Amino acid sequence: VQLQASGGGLVQAGGSLRISCEASGRTFGVAVVGWFRQAPGKEREFVAARPWIDGSATYADFVKGRFTISIDNVKNTVYLQMNSLKLEDTAVYYCAAVSESYYSGSYSYSYEYDNWGQGTQVTVSS
């Protein structure tokens, strides 16, 4: 499956932004989709994920109550709605997907994903 992220940009602290990730190819074989982020000088970290077809979302503690992951299965697009943005949310955001054949039952670590998009920059200013 191929993933194309978009929608990043510059936003003021306290503002909102929605980024998107369009999936193409073998989407019927996707088990889980997620978002990760990587700030300069830091390791890539888990943000949010949810099953591709149905199921509850999982969030990192630092985005709970502020970010929401959703999926439009008709458009094969994953969204990350980000509200109450903070300076520390500045990072490159990557969408990722786990194929059903690769799925181990866990999806909070980057090595558990076998498909990655190219990333979209989100910059939060004061």
Side-chain angles (χ1 to χ4, degrees):
V1 62
Q2 291 76 49
L3 303 170
Q4 180 73 38
S6 62
L10 177 65
V11 62
Q12 284 193 324
S16 298
L17 191 67
R18 188 180 77 164
I19 55 179
S20 304
C21 177
E22 183 176 359
S24 60
R26 297 175 60 87
T27 58
F28 57 85
V30 173
V32 172
V33 288
W35 287 97
F36 287 74
R37 70 186 188 184
Q38 188 166 18
K42 295 188 177 181
E43 293 188 353
R44 192 170 298 189
E45 61 183 357
F46 171 79
V47 175
R50 61 155 290 178
W52 177 249
I53 297 301
D54 191 23
S56 300
T58 300
Y59 297 94
D61 287 343
F62 53 78
V63 302
K64 282 182 180 177
R66 300 190 299 123
F67 290 11
T68 302
I69 183 173
S70 62
I71 301 173
D72 184 329
N73 291 109
V74 175
K75 296 182 178 179
N76 287 334
T77 300
V78 185
Y79 302 99
L80 185 68
Q81 177 66 44
M82 303 181 289
N83 299 328
S84 302
L85 282 161
K86 304 175 181 180
L87 296 178
E88 54 263 41
D89 293 320
T90 295
V92 177
Y93 283 72
Y94 297 90
C95 60
V98 187
S99 302
E100 289 183 349
S101 60
Y102 196 79
Y103 184 43
S104 66
S106 175
Y107 45 81
S108 297
Y109 297 94
S110 59
Y111 63 80
E112 294 169 324
Y113 291 74
D114 57 334
N115 300 280
W116 289 86
Q118 85 288 2
T120 186
Q121 176 71 47
V122 173
T123 303
V124 184
S125 65
S126 58

